[in-house]
Amino acid sequence: MSQNPFDALGGGDLGGGLDLGALMQQAQQMQHDLQAAQQRLAETIVEGSVAGGAVTVSVSGVGELTGVTIKPEAVQGTDEESLADLGDLVVAAFRDARTRIDELAAETLGPLAGGLGGGDAGPGAAPGRLGF
């Protein structure tokens, strides 16, 4: 019995169809493409908004909050309840931006991942989320 585990894949001389060099080259190209896509995603800024644009946030493709814009009509008063409502609007706008980032990541990285990390998980599914 042979000790070579590749014998079953095409013969002991590897001439039966398994080209490890080509496989390694393909893996390196895929890794390069994935890193380039991740870099493009990291450099992307996405906006999320609520209440007809009364509150808009800007978030980088890696989830970093980069800006908040609040229109005067978003602020109903200075009492505690009004300010809590404003805080809720900022959180909702951030969630909107995060959803957009998740969708963009799925579009950008999905074809390159080749099913790694969860298969057909839709937006919001744990394996495909960016983790923030």
Side-chain angles (χ1 to χ4, degrees), residues 89-110:
L89 289 174
V90 172
V91 169
F94 179 80
R95 287 182 178 156
D96 180 49
R98 192 176 78 179
T99 297
R100 292 170 192 254
I101 290 169
D102 288 342
E103 291 169 355
L104 181 62
E107 291 173 16
T108 303
L109 303 176

Side-chain angles (χ1 to χ4, degrees), residues 17-37:
L18 181 63
D19 184 350
L20 290 178
L23 188 60
M24 288 298 293
Q25 185 177 10
Q26 183 180 9
Q28 288 173 344
Q29 182 63 45
M30 288 175 62
Q31 181 179 12
H32 177 267
D33 292 348
L34 182 60
Q35 288 172 340

Side-chain angles (χ1 to χ4, degrees), residues 22-77:
L23 188 60
M24 288 298 293
Q25 185 177 10
Q26 183 180 9
Q28 288 173 344
Q29 182 63 45
M30 288 175 62
Q31 181 179 12
H32 177 267
D33 292 348
L34 182 60
Q35 288 172 340
Q38 288 171 328
Q39 182 64 34
R40 284 192 311 272
L41 184 63
E43 294 170 354
T44 300
I45 300 295
V46 174
E47 289 188 346
S49 65
V50 293
V55 175
T56 302
V57 300
S58 300
V59 179
S60 73
V62 293
E64 179 182 335
L65 181 65
T66 61
V68 177
T69 303
I70 301 171
K71 292 185 178 177
E73 61 266 19
V75 182
Q76 298 298 320

